[in-house]
Amino acid sequence: MFSRSIAIGLVLLASSAAYAGPTSIDLSRYRLTGTFSLPPVDASESSAITYNWNSGNLFVLGDEGEAIVEVTRTGTAVSKMTLTGFQDTEGLTYMGGGQFVLAEERLQDLFVLTYSAGGAVARSSLQSISLGPTVGNIGIEGVSFDPRTGKFVFVKEKTPQAVGEATADFGAGSALLATLIGDNALGVDDLSDVQVLAAVPSLLGTADEDNLLIYSQESRRLLEVARDGAILSEFDFGGISTSAEGVTIDENGVIYITDEGPRVYVLTPIPEPAFAWLAGPGFVALALRRRKAPHA
């Protein structure tokens, strides 16, 4: 008998499928679904953003290195941690356990810190590693932690452009570096941030787990790329922002991009159509009508 309970069960199954984490990323399916402003003083000229999967909140960093600011995924301010001694902070990533790593662009250094809401920390007190010599305004623009390997993927802006990987020992102040994608391989004018897709739990074990999101501020493009440099999909940010440069993603596959406004743009994937018909009102009505006639 096709009962009411079976019909409701199928609808619940369809609903759970719709809200499960993504099993692939295709930027052509994404749409801009929201925009919100950040606290204008604390998040001044926001240049980096990362998602804290423990708290479910976003953390943003301005390029003047004055504070890390915690906000909800709809833009409500939660807390901040004051920074001192920094000059050109352009990258931020979450490692878990309350720990973050931030990047100084011109120094080309990464610093590890434990976030303390309402607290403060000086650059001189933090452990760090070097990704290269001090340069001009063309250095490290973004960094992303890979939870599978404990390594960091980073991007150098230009001259040359590079996507690299660092095996870091902050205690010893040393790092083993490798180049993943070389100069101009992606056909964009600069590289301004990177996000490892392995940070999305539902992508682990899929073909997309090793891929990266890379943002180019000057070309206004968000790219999904393989680690050999192949471009798999992209989202055109032209007409949306000229100063966007930081990118992160949550466990639902929702992408957040920050600009110097300071603002955050929310990109959401269109649901896969596979089970969409099951949740429609026509199916429910049909299912509830399809009862066997009682036996004579």
Side-chain angles (χ1 to χ4, degrees), residues 172-229:
S174 62
L176 179 64
L177 306 180
T179 299
L180 299 178
I181 303 172
D183 191 25
N184 295 318
L186 299 176
V188 291
D189 294 332
D190 73 336
L191 305 178
S192 60
D193 204 5
V194 60
Q195 171 63 54
V196 171
L197 289 182
V200 181
S202 60
L203 292 179
L204 297 178
T206 73
D208 284 8
E209 72 168 332
D210 211 34
N211 296 339
L212 310 169
L213 294 179
I214 292 181
Y215 193 80
S216 171
Q217 176 185 3
E218 294 181 15
S219 294
R220 303 177 199 174
R221 291 168 66 195
L222 176 65
L223 306 176
E224 178 200 7
V225 305
R227 296 197 185 201
D228 63 2

Side-chain angles (χ1 to χ4, degrees), residues 14 20 102 109 120 163 192 260 263:
L102 58 83
D109 288 349
V163 181
S192 60
E260 294 180 350
R263 287 176 294 269

Side-chain angles (χ1 to χ4, degrees), residues 2 10-11 14 272-284 286-287:
F2 198 99
L10 284 170
V11 172
E272 291 282 4
F275 290 101
W277 66 276
L278 287 177
F283 169 77
V284 176
L286 175 65

Side-chain angles (χ1 to χ4, degrees), residues 60-238:
V60 296
L61 173 67
D63 64 9
E64 299 301 318
E66 298 172 345
I68 297 175
V69 180
E70 179 185 11
V71 299
T72 67
R73 282 177 274 184
T74 55
T76 302
V78 177
S79 69
K80 72 171 182 177
M81 183 176 187
T82 302
L83 306 176
T84 58
F86 290 94
Q87 297 177 343
D88 191 17
T89 47
E90 292 284 355
L92 182 68
T93 188
Y94 185 59
M95 295 173 59
Q99 287 195 312
F100 294 80
V101 164
L102 58 83
E104 276 266 33
E105 179 179 7
R106 300 171 197 239
L107 292 179
Q108 298 202 103
D109 288 349
L110 301 183
F111 298 83
V112 62
L113 62 84
T114 300
Y115 186 83
S116 174
V121 67
R123 189 184 78 181
S124 60
S125 69
L126 299 176
Q127 294 178 332
S128 66
I129 60 168
S130 174
L131 303 180
T134 299
V135 294
N137 194 28
I138 54 170
I140 304 303
E141 280 279 332
V143 62
S144 186
F145 177 69
D146 190 330
R148 303 168 305 168
T149 63
K151 298 179 181 181
F152 297 88
V153 176
F154 61 91
V155 290
K156 183 180 181 297
E157 181 178 5
K158 58 174 62 176
T159 321
Q161 291 180 14
V163 181
E165 185 176 63
T167 304
D169 185 338
F170 285 99
S174 62
L176 179 64
L177 306 180
T179 299
L180 299 178
I181 303 172
D183 191 25
N184 295 318
L186 299 176
V188 291
D189 294 332
D190 73 336
L191 305 178
S192 60
D193 204 5
V194 60
Q195 171 63 54
V196 171
L197 289 182
V200 181
S202 60
L203 292 179
L204 297 178
T206 73
D208 284 8
E209 72 168 332
D210 211 34
N211 296 339
L212 310 169
L213 294 179
I214 292 181
Y215 193 80
S216 171
Q217 176 185 3
E218 294 181 15
S219 294
R220 303 177 199 174
R221 291 168 66 195
L222 176 65
L223 306 176
E224 178 200 7
V225 305
R227 296 197 185 201
D228 63 2
I231 297 176
L232 305 173
S233 64
E234 63 180 275
F235 185 95
D236 182 3
F237 230 67

